Amino acid sequence: MLNDRILRELRAIVGDDYVRAGPAQLIAYSYDATFQQAPPDAVVLPRTTEQVAAVLRLANRDGIPLIPRGAGTSLAGGTIPLTGGIVLSLTRMNDIKEIDVGNTCAVVEPGVVTATFQAAVEKVGLFYPPDPASLNQSTLGGNVACNAGGPRCLKYGVTRDYVLGLTVALADGRVLRLGGKTIKNVSGYQLIQLFTASEGTLGVITQITLRLVPLPRHRSTAVAIFPKLDDAGDAVTAVLGSGVLPVTLELMDKLAINCVEDYLHMGLPRDAEALLLIEQDGNSQMAVQQEIETVAAACKETGASDVRVATSPEEREALWRARRAVSAAIGRRAPNKIGEDVVVPRSQVPEMVRRVRRIGEEHGFETPIFGHAGDGNLHPNFLFDRRKPGEMERLERAAAAVFRAALDLGGTLSGEHGIGTLKREFMEDALGADTLGVMRAIKQALDPKGILNPGKKFPTGTTGDHSGFLTALPTLDSPAGEE
Amino acid sequence: MLNDRILRELRAIVGDDYVRAGPAQLIAYSYDATFQQAPPDAVVLPRTTEQVAAVLRLANRDGIPLIPRGAGTSLAGGTIPLTGGIVLSLTRMNDIKEIDVGNTCAVVEPGVVTATFQAAVEKVGLFYPPDPASLNQSTLGGNVACNAGGPRCLKYGVTRDYVLGLTVALADGRVLRLGGKTIKNVSGYQLIQLFTASEGTLGVITQITLRLVPLPRHRSTAVAIFPKLDDAGDAVTAVLGSGVLPVTLELMDKLAINCVEDYLHMGLPRDAEALLLIEQDGNSQMAVQQEIETVAAACKETGASDVRVATSPEEREALWRARRAVSAAIGRRAPNKIGEDVVVPRSQVPEMVRRVRRIGEEHGFETPIFGHAGDGNLHPNFLFDRRKPGEMERLERAAAAVFRAALDLGGTLSGEHGIGTLKREFMEDALGADTLGVMRAIKQALDPKGILNPGKKFPTGTTGDHSGFLTALPTLDSPAGEE
């Protein structure tokens, strides 16, 4: 617990209204989009970079854990205050400070909601492509801290590809102003890239300069139905081999299709093993149409039983509604779900889908799968019931098997959700001891007291023994500090 | 000098033929594409990652400077063996190990020449866009170490955007295997990005996995002539505001145009203040044509006196010949030239061109300017004669004024050439003491003995005093160690 003196100091920095320490207030900052829950000792809501730096100086002086938080939409436990301490909520820092049309970039505070920003830049004919599923809630600061992705990454790249400048407050309160409105910059080490995807463990992002691109004038969307899963995998290769780089190549497997159909009754084919949702954009309607036709032909040649191209905005919207509903539709099927985020080389997508299905069967879980097939980034979901005795232990074994399968196929633990608490124990398996050692050395150089988002990203357990990697995490049933 | 024992150890690692220590042999590794020259004590040409690691262990044990070297095309002094020591030439490690069409990526050794690689992937319908001007000599390892750019970066991004995996040998001989064939990866800190642009100061790159994209089927090229420089600047803004993101938007100023015309006699307009070379590509010939027409219209509206679209491959080639000849054409005009590489926010390009011209006039230099206007990345060249008394001192003052002008306009010291020795003394001005401190802390964490490419990237002088930043560098006339 923080003592009264520290709370007084925090109030002096951000104002009385913006330090919250009552139990009822803390509960709101104790969870994210996973099943975990652990309350902080205080929540501080700064308004300026200077306030953030002052809070950090205080926390660093006294060795108090400080957990930066955007909208709390993490699917990896990235912002759970495992160790107590101060949650630093950046939601009040939500100004779009500038949209610079001439330099096609924008300067924003970290608490701006992704979708709000996208709408603002689209009004002036510009486009910010990264589109994590949580974009109506997630904040740009969180997007940068996790290097967020989304369906459009195949053509447009991930959040990292849009960050031109960052203001970052370090653990000791020093403030770095990195980059700016220039597109290219090789002056020194690429620190902007180092802070991107650092999940709040190296510094607190207080301002972001984002690159924008011209808003494409035309879009075309198609859905391809595959009786056989392997054919959908071949289609992905064939599409990219056709010379077209679509905006999206989204996969849903049979169970995911059925979950959506149960939910939306759209007439999706329940017996298809896979569905690909494909979108292309561009400035020439004819070129976009041509490319979608090339894609459709590639899908048919590789075994699609049906390819439908949306002929109206309403049809396009219906196809996307199906894709966007996947997560909610899956959620209706069981009391709990956990969504994984593994990546494999694109050619291994069908094999990975098969392995996930086998792992689900072996451990007794339904495992609907969807994801960004063009990027090899899959979201296998496990449906479970946390109240069942032994369920979490079984889930732990199944999730570990999925991670091992991804690594075995030349893949990685996470494509866009981050490591957080959920995957930290597998970091050494994924990266090797030497690489992890270098990451620890960088963490030590920037945050020697380890106050920033402790317990995230780095393994806590001993090499090779990952038991408890899920079951030992704090939840509502066993709040942190009371075990 | 290295003693015989060390030379014997080096020979035991890479074989007798691949350790070179005679004065005549060392001269070949004493320079790069700048005016600097300093000989190493030995040149070692390894063939494998294991050999690189073994050489590093030896150098680290004895505190011997180790300077990684690709083709030596650095324009910033990045690979000059300032301090003597071992030059580690990666040119023998030049296998294209795999072109993986299904996963649209390739695995290469660092010594592969950029153009050789591009030709190889284009044969199978794939495309590696980064195109530094030195691409017929430069190596992919050097491209990654410097985050090389080129004209196509406006649409396609820089080298960094294509690096999926790296094998890196650290100063102490530990070997990190980072990333792989996956497109997305947020497992841990983005170390791949940290080693990219590190100019050989953090580790030696021994293998690279590069992302590829489909080879566009059609290209269209245009040249726009501007009687007034400001109008060319407005044209860049108008083009990007038109919703088109061209592959290239290359600028040549009046003096650069005249240098090329003196050289090639192509009929370029000698009285034009600026010329823009614009290229677009895509899969639909009609869409590419439409976009080039949109661009041409934007140029005319902003004041272009003439816009010519190449109607045949020969015409296109002629336009590019003019652009590619700029550097050689400028070189014919004076005994020496130095090419700078500043970046400003795109809207500041006309102002930066004006400031460079004024600085040239004030210090008595001709300053032809060309560069990547769409990226705000300009290459102002200073024409000079190193033998003239006082010339280098004047050049030093003029170059410093250019750096200050770029920083003053919100720009950076380098967009694609790197910092090397030429700009190191301006790093604190550009980045601030705190950011430089973080970079030093990372360098210290990864290379505590400071053996890797010493004297590069970081300032050696005292804050604020940059005198001697050019004139004190070793040259042919005053070889290192003999001053």
Side-chain angles (χ1 to χ4, degrees):
Chain A
M1 277 288 284
L2 303 181
N3 62 35
D4 284 347
R5 180 181 57 81
I6 291 170
L7 290 174
R8 272 197 307 275
E9 286 186 90
L10 289 170
R11 289 194 181 101
I13 295 168
V14 297
D16 287 357
D17 287 353
Y18 301 111
V19 177
R20 295 173 190 168
Q25 294 159 308
L26 297 182
I27 208 94
Y29 295 90
S30 65
Y31 62 88
D32 62 6
T34 65
F35 58 85
Q36 300 166 72
Q37 187 173 28
D41 296 309
V43 180
V44 177
L45 297 104
R47 185 63 198 88
T48 66
T49 297
E50 291 64 36
Q51 290 178 359
V52 170
V55 173
L56 280 161
R57 274 193 297 275
L58 184 158
N60 199 48
R61 181 195 70 195
D62 291 355
I64 303 166
L66 187 137
I67 300 95
R69 182 184 174 95
T73 56
S74 174
L75 290 163
T79 192
I80 297 287
L82 276 185
T83 51
I86 299 168
V87 160
L88 192 77
S89 167
L90 281 310
T91 47
R92 288 180 65 225
M93 296 180 68
N94 64 349
D95 270 5
I96 299 175
K97 299 184 86 166
E98 186 186 2
I99 299 175
D100 181 339
V101 176
N103 289 309
T104 54
C105 65
V107 182
V108 300
E109 290 185 325
V112 174
V113 170
T114 314
T116 305
F117 178 65
Q118 289 176 328
V121 304
E122 288 179 23
K123 262 189 205 155
V124 294
L126 295 171
F127 185 36
Y128 177 69
D131 58 343
S134 55
L135 56 82
N136 286 311
Q137 293 83 41
S138 73
T139 60
L140 291 167
N143 290 174
V144 174
C146 296
N147 194 14
R152 294 198 285 237
C153 294
L154 178 59
K155 178 170 179 175
Y156 284 105
V158 291
T159 300
R160 179 180 80 197
D161 301 312
Y162 294 85
V163 185
L164 297 179
L166 284 183
T167 302
V168 180
L170 299 181
D172 61 9
R174 279 180 295 168
V175 174
L176 308 186
R177 291 185 170 79
L178 306 170
K181 289 185 175 180
T182 57
I183 305 293
K184 291 160 84 177
N185 186 356
V186 293
S187 301
Y189 302 139
Q190 308 278 297
L191 295 188
I192 289 172
Q193 304 290 330
L194 185 63
F195 287 107
T196 302
S198 70
E199 299 186 43
T201 64
L202 296 180
V204 178
I205 295 162
T206 64
Q207 187 171 294
I208 311 162
T209 304
L210 289 167
R211 184 171 75 90
L212 303 170
V213 295
L215 181 65
R217 279 192 283 266
H218 301 282
R219 284 209 169 94
S220 182
T221 308
V223 63
I225 308 298
F226 291 88
K228 296 212 174 308
L229 174 67
D230 276 355
D231 292 347
D234 289 347
V236 170
T237 303
V239 166
L240 294 162
S242 75
V244 177
L245 185 65
V247 176
T248 64
L249 267 179
E250 294 287 299
L251 176 84
M252 287 164 56
D253 82 342
K254 188 175 194 163
L255 187 49
I257 295 168
N258 278 276
C259 287
V260 173
E261 187 57 22
D262 289 343
Y263 185 29
L264 296 181
H265 313 290
M266 299 177 65
L268 295 176
R270 289 183 177 276
D271 53 348
E273 277 195 14
L275 167 164
L276 285 178
L277 179 67
I278 304 139
E279 186 159 289
Q280 182 58 308
D281 66 12
N283 286 319
S284 153
Q285 189 157 18
M286 181 170 314
V288 171
Q289 209 54 40
Q290 268 178 11
E291 295 205 330
I292 277 286
E293 279 162 22
T294 303
V295 167
C299 288
K300 278 182 190 155
E301 274 163 33
T302 49
S305 57
D306 190 19
V307 183
R308 266 177 287 167
V309 178
T311 54
S312 68
E314 292 70 33
E315 274 185 42
R316 175 180 176 268
E317 189 43 43
L319 294 178
W320 274 104
R321 198 181 319 128
R323 169 62 183 85
R324 281 195 299 259
V326 176
S327 199
I330 289 171
R332 293 170 73 245
R333 202 171 168 99
N336 302 101
K337 74 173 170 76
I338 189 167
E340 288 304 346
D341 175 42
V342 292
V343 192
V344 292
R346 189 191 296 136
S347 61
Q348 300 285 8
V349 164
E351 176 61 16
M352 187 66 201
V353 169
R354 270 192 297 272
R355 290 200 191 190
V356 168
R357 202 183 290 164
R358 203 180 316 138
I359 290 165
E361 283 162 11
E362 280 168 14
H363 294 84
F365 293 105
E366 286 196 319
T367 56
I369 302 169
F370 62 95
H372 320 303
D375 291 321
N377 186 189
L378 296 176
H379 299 311
N381 276 247
F382 287 96
L383 301 180
F384 64 101
D385 183 348
R386 205 147 57 79
R387 296 158 304 185
K388 271 198 211 165
E391 185 92 336
M392 292 305 284
E393 288 73 14
R394 278 196 306 135
L395 178 65
E396 190 171 271
R397 289 191 294 274
V402 166
F403 298 153
R404 279 194 298 267
L407 298 178
D408 185 43
L409 294 173
T412 69
L413 295 177
S414 177
E416 50 187 28
H417 295 175
I419 298 301
T421 55
L422 283 190
K423 298 178 183 181
R424 59 186 177 177
E425 307 302 350
F426 293 85
M427 283 287 275
E428 187 168 333
D429 299 356
L431 303 175
D434 285 341
T435 297
L436 203 57
V438 168
M439 291 182 185
R440 284 193 201 277
I442 290 170
K443 167 75 175 173
Q444 175 69 22
L446 270 73
D447 177 19
K449 289 190 175 180
I451 64 159
L452 280 167
N453 211 4
K456 310 299 162 58
K457 234 172 161 72
F458 292 100
T460 59
T462 41
T463 305
D465 175 19
H466 306 322
S467 58
F469 85 91
L470 277 185
T471 49
L473 292 171
T475 66
L476 194 59
D477 309 319
S478 57
E482 296 188 23
E483 292 200 282
Chain B
M1 277 290 282
L2 302 180
N3 62 35
D4 285 348
R5 179 181 57 81
I6 290 171
L7 290 174
R8 271 198 307 275
E9 286 186 272
L10 290 170
R11 288 193 182 100
I13 295 169
V14 297
D16 288 356
D17 287 352
Y18 300 110
V19 176
R20 295 173 191 170
Q25 295 159 307
L26 297 183
I27 208 95
Y29 295 89
S30 64
Y31 61 87
D32 61 8
T34 65
F35 57 86
Q36 299 166 73
Q37 188 173 29
D41 296 308
V43 180
V44 176
L45 297 103
R47 185 62 197 92
T48 66
T49 298
E50 291 65 36
Q51 290 178 1
V52 171
V55 174
L56 279 162
R57 272 193 299 273
L58 185 159
N60 199 48
R61 180 195 70 195
D62 291 356
I64 302 166
L66 187 135
I67 300 94
R69 183 184 174 95
T73 56
S74 174
L75 291 163
T79 191
I80 298 289
L82 277 185
T83 50
I86 299 168
V87 160
L88 192 78
S89 168
L90 281 308
T91 47
R92 288 180 66 225
M93 296 179 69
N94 64 348
D95 270 4
I96 298 174
K97 300 185 84 165
E98 184 187 3
I99 299 176
D100 182 339
V101 176
N103 289 309
T104 53
C105 66
V107 181
V108 300
E109 290 185 325
V112 174
V113 171
T114 314
T116 306
F117 178 65
Q118 289 176 328
V121 304
E122 288 178 23
K123 262 188 206 157
V124 294
L126 294 172
F127 185 37
Y128 177 69
D131 57 344
S134 56
L135 56 83
N136 286 311
Q137 293 83 40
S138 73
T139 61
L140 292 168
N143 291 175
V144 174
C146 296
N147 194 14
R152 293 198 285 237
C153 294
L154 178 59
K155 178 171 178 173
Y156 285 105
V158 291
T159 300
R160 178 181 81 196
D161 301 313
Y162 293 85
V163 185
L164 296 178
L166 285 182
T167 303
V168 180
L170 299 182
D172 61 9
R174 278 179 295 167
V175 174
L176 308 187
R177 291 186 169 80
L178 307 169
K181 290 184 176 180
T182 57
I183 306 291
K184 292 161 84 178
N185 186 357
V186 293
S187 300
Y189 302 140
Q190 306 279 295
L191 295 187
I192 290 173
Q193 304 290 329
L194 185 64
F195 287 107
T196 302
S198 70
E199 299 185 41
T201 64
L202 295 179
V204 178
I205 295 164
T206 64
Q207 186 170 294
I208 311 163
T209 304
L210 289 167
R211 184 171 73 90
L212 302 169
V213 295
L215 182 65
R217 279 193 284 265
H218 301 284
R219 282 209 170 95
S220 182
T221 308
V223 63
I225 308 297
F226 291 88
K228 298 214 173 307
L229 174 67
D230 276 356
D231 292 347
D234 288 347
V236 170
T237 303
V239 166
L240 294 162
S242 75
V244 178
L245 185 66
V247 176
T248 63
L249 267 179
E250 294 286 298
L251 176 83
M252 288 165 55
D253 82 343
K254 188 173 195 164
L255 187 50
I257 294 169
N258 278 277
C259 287
V260 173
E261 188 56 23
D262 290 344
Y263 186 29
L264 296 181
H265 312 291
M266 298 177 66
L268 295 177
R270 288 182 179 278
D271 53 348
E273 277 194 15
L275 168 163
L276 285 178
L277 180 67
I278 304 138
E279 186 159 287
Q280 182 58 307
D281 66 10
N283 286 320
S284 153
Q285 189 156 18
M286 179 168 319
V288 171
Q289 209 54 38
Q290 268 178 11
E291 294 205 328
I292 278 287
E293 279 161 24
T294 303
V295 167
C299 288
K300 278 181 189 156
E301 275 162 33
T302 50
S305 58
D306 191 18
V307 183
R308 265 177 288 168
V309 178
T311 54
S312 68
E314 293 70 32
E315 275 185 40
R316 175 179 178 270
E317 190 42 45
L319 294 178
W320 273 104
R321 199 181 319 128
R323 169 61 183 85
R324 280 195 300 258
V326 175
S327 199
I330 289 171
R332 294 171 73 246
R333 201 171 170 100
N336 303 101
K337 74 172 170 74
I338 188 168
E340 287 304 345
D341 174 42
V342 291
V343 192
V344 291
R346 187 193 294 136
S347 61
Q348 300 286 6
V349 164
E351 175 62 15
M352 187 66 202
V353 169
R354 271 192 297 271
R355 290 200 191 190
V356 168
R357 202 183 290 165
R358 204 181 313 140
I359 290 165
E361 283 162 11
E362 280 168 15
H363 294 84
F365 293 106
E366 286 196 321
T367 55
I369 301 169
F370 62 95
H372 319 302
D375 290 320
N377 186 190
L378 295 176
H379 299 311
N381 276 248
F382 287 96
L383 301 179
F384 64 102
D385 182 348
R386 205 146 57 79
R387 296 158 305 186
K388 272 198 210 165
E391 185 90 335
M392 291 304 284
E393 288 74 13
R394 278 195 306 134
L395 177 65
E396 191 171 272
R397 288 191 295 273
V402 166
F403 298 154
R404 278 194 300 266
L407 297 179
D408 185 42
L409 294 173
T412 69
L413 295 176
S414 177
E416 50 189 27
H417 295 175
I419 298 301
T421 56
L422 285 190
K423 298 177 182 181
R424 59 185 177 177
E425 307 301 350
F426 293 84
M427 283 286 275
E428 189 170 330
D429 299 357
L431 303 176
D434 284 340
T435 297
L436 203 56
V438 168
M439 291 181 184
R440 284 194 201 276
I442 290 170
K443 167 75 173 172
Q444 175 70 23
L446 269 73
D447 177 19
K449 289 190 174 180
I451 63 159
L452 280 167
N453 211 4
K456 311 299 161 58
K457 234 172 162 72
F458 292 100
T460 60
T462 41
T463 304
D465 175 18
H466 306 323
S467 59
F469 85 91
L470 277 184
T471 50
L473 293 171
T475 67
L476 194 58
D477 310 319
S478 56
E482 296 189 23
E483 293 203 276

